[in-house]
Amino acid sequence: EKGTYPHFMLKEIDEQPFVIRKIIQEYQDEHDQIKLDPNVRQAMLNCDRVYIIACGTSYHAGLVGKQFMEKLANIPVEVHVASEFSYNMPLISEKPLFIYISQSGETADSRSVLVQTNAKDYPSLTITNAPGSTLSREADYTLHLHAGPEIAVASTKAYTAQLAVLVILAVDTAQAKGIELNFNPMQELAIVANAMEALCDQKEEMEKIAAEYLTVARNCFFIGRSADFFVGLEGALKLKEISYIQAEGFAGGELKHGTIALIEEGTPVIALATQANVNYSIRGNVKEVAARGAYPCIISMRGLDQEGDTFVLPEVHELLTPLVSVIPLQLIAYYAALHRDCDVDKPRNLAKSVTVE
Ligand code: M6R
């Protein structure tokens, strides 16, 4: 039930710090070590390549998850949109592990790939919020998101839960492989949960940004580099799905290869700047669009912020910034939809889980 909340989406955005804390609890043993199904650990150790299969928001989580696994656990990862993969299967490595990411566990496009990989006896792991679901039952192993029911069509807490479970899985694999990491996932996730809480207390600022940038906008661009690019894709999906504003996410460096032609006087461009190694270049991209009339909104991370930034995020570990930077984007989408009188929880033409291919 939504209790005092006007919409499930807002309630579910607010639940994110609690979900992260719940995940910390569920995936930690009494000696503060990662607690994970040993079969999942073994499957990760046995594989020479991970194939992540997902749709929509879960696909966006997969893109970030690839970075976790490659950077922390040194395992090559491919991320595929399920609907494309099922008829255009790439060459598969000798020892693949298929990871299906799905909030509902019922997405038909993902299931169709699972049926194919099961037919080839490839090992599979489903990361889902619904352990009794089809994708969970038909895969070899399951990791539970523990996010609680997600009712709003726009996925919010499932995304951050997926990222939290993926980083725990990546660190567990790294440890099992004997890789020394200077990164304690539970401590870093606890910092993330606090940062999320602080952001959820700043709703008025997000509402103002939505009012200022998006009340009359026809379109909106999200730009970022590295992990910020993936979060931009998610921010754009959130905005288009519930506010019907045409929104797209782009890699900052790719704009000048075509998309910059779409920038007009006043076009809102939301830029994320949470990654130290690309801070200089993303700010260059902001200048490029501003010089062509765009109205930039810069969301940066404390420590990388510059004068004139629109909003500064509390600092978290650089790998985990997507869990935090997505929150303003979820809230901006929420308020933009609200201001435009859209049905936030049940946007037109969409279903919570897409059970047809
Ligand atoms: O249940 P799933 O995670 O498999 O769903 C995948 C997508 O249909 C879903 O994430 C969709 O993109 C959301 N409505 C996005 O907010």
Side-chain angles (χ1 to χ4, degrees), residues 55-58 102-104 107 153-155 237-238 241 354:
C55 310
T57 289
S58 298
S102 174
Q103 188 284 131
S104 63
T107 298
V153 165
S155 184
L237 177 60
K238 243 26 3 142
E241 116 177 279
V354 184

Side-chain angles (χ1 to χ4, degrees), residues 84-111:
E84 284 295 304
F85 191 92
S86 59
Y87 55 77
N88 205 4
M89 213 187 263
L91 293 176
I92 305 295
S93 68
E94 245 168 67
K95 293 189 285 173
L97 171 65
F98 280 81
I99 300 186
Y100 294 86
I101 306 180
S102 174
Q103 188 284 131
S104 63
E106 299 297 344
T107 298
D109 288 322
S110 300
R111 173 155 191 257

Side-chain angles (χ1 to χ4, degrees), residues 117-132:
T117 59
N118 276 350
K120 293 186 191 285
D121 273 336
Y122 292 145
S124 54
L125 160 68
T126 291
I127 300 181
T128 182
N129 205 22

Side-chain angles (χ1 to χ4, degrees), residues 236-259:
L237 177 60
K238 243 26 3 142
L239 185 64
K240 63 186 136 188
E241 116 177 279
I242 61 170
S243 77
Y244 317 138
I245 296 170
Q246 192 193 353
E248 301 302 335
F250 290 100
E254 192 58 16
L255 279 182
K256 56 185 175 298
H257 297 289
T259 310

Side-chain angles (χ1 to χ4, degrees), residues 16-34:
Q16 292 177 103
F18 307 100
V19 172
I20 298 304
R21 291 184 189 124
K22 169 87 175 151
I23 290 173
I24 295 173
Q25 226 176 37
E26 294 288 337
Y27 283 93
Q28 188 164 243
D29 68 14
E30 62 278 17
H31 309 293
D32 291 348
Q33 298 300 311
I34 295 177

